[in-house]
Amino acid sequence: MDEVAGAIADPVRRRILEMLRDGRLSAGQIAEQFAISRPAVSRHLRVLRESGLVRDELVGRQRLYALDSGRLGELLAWLSQFARPSGWEHRFDALETEVYRTRRERRPNTSRPNTNSSEENTA
């Protein structure tokens, strides 16, 4: 998790990950998007590759890079403990609580016998 967090700490690497979200790109296509040298972009790609966030594949003479988001799972799980539920999540939780409470209140009381057999059960 520390390696992944370190890799995404740099804004250039985060931008590269965003670019790769849409599909594979060559190192040249990635480098064109930055005002830094190609060797600097190569170093960023190496960090992403070593952290497991990016995988590369040699296709002919071109090296293509692709996002491998699997390593983000552990970091996402850790970060989620700090996220407060959104408004909708909070409302759904409240709705679920209300549904269970209502069901519990509507359950027939089996401890006392039903003295009026003509009484209808309605939901």
Side-chain angles (χ1 to χ4, degrees):
M1 180 171 66
D2 292 341
E3 192 175 31
V4 171
I8 63 173
D10 186 278
V12 171
R13 291 193 286 266
R14 288 193 305 267
R15 178 67 186 119
I16 291 171
L17 292 174
E18 291 169 1
M19 292 168 61
L20 293 174
R21 181 180 50 201
D22 297 327
R24 298 185 320 172
L25 293 172
S26 70
Q29 290 171 310
I30 295 169
E32 289 172 356
Q33 302 300 313
F34 297 99
I36 59 176
S37 69
R38 287 183 184 258
V41 171
S42 291
R43 286 190 293 276
H44 285 296
L45 287 167
R46 186 182 71 237
V47 170
L48 290 170
R49 203 173 49 246
E50 289 173 354
S51 70
L53 292 171
V54 167
R55 64 182 186 285
D56 63 332
E57 176 185 357
L58 195 59
V59 178
R61 293 180 0 158
Q62 232 180 12
R63 186 168 301 276
L64 298 178
Y65 290 87
L67 178 65
D68 187 353
S69 60
R71 290 288 312 271
L72 291 171
E74 184 181 353
L75 181 60
L76 287 171
W78 184 80
L79 288 171
S80 70
Q81 69 181 324
F82 300 104
R84 294 180 189 260
S86 72
W88 281 109
E89 289 174 3
H90 179 69
R91 288 180 179 99
F92 285 138
D93 288 344
L95 176 62
E96 181 181 33
T97 301
E98 186 63 23
V99 167
Y100 284 123
R101 185 187 64 76
T102 304
R103 282 182 184 167
R104 191 172 51 245
E105 289 175 356
R106 288 188 178 184
R107 282 190 196 141
N109 189 348
T110 57
S111 61
R112 65 175 188 193
N114 188 357
T115 56
N116 189 356
S117 61
S118 65
E119 190 177 297
E120 283 187 30
N121 278 341
T122 58

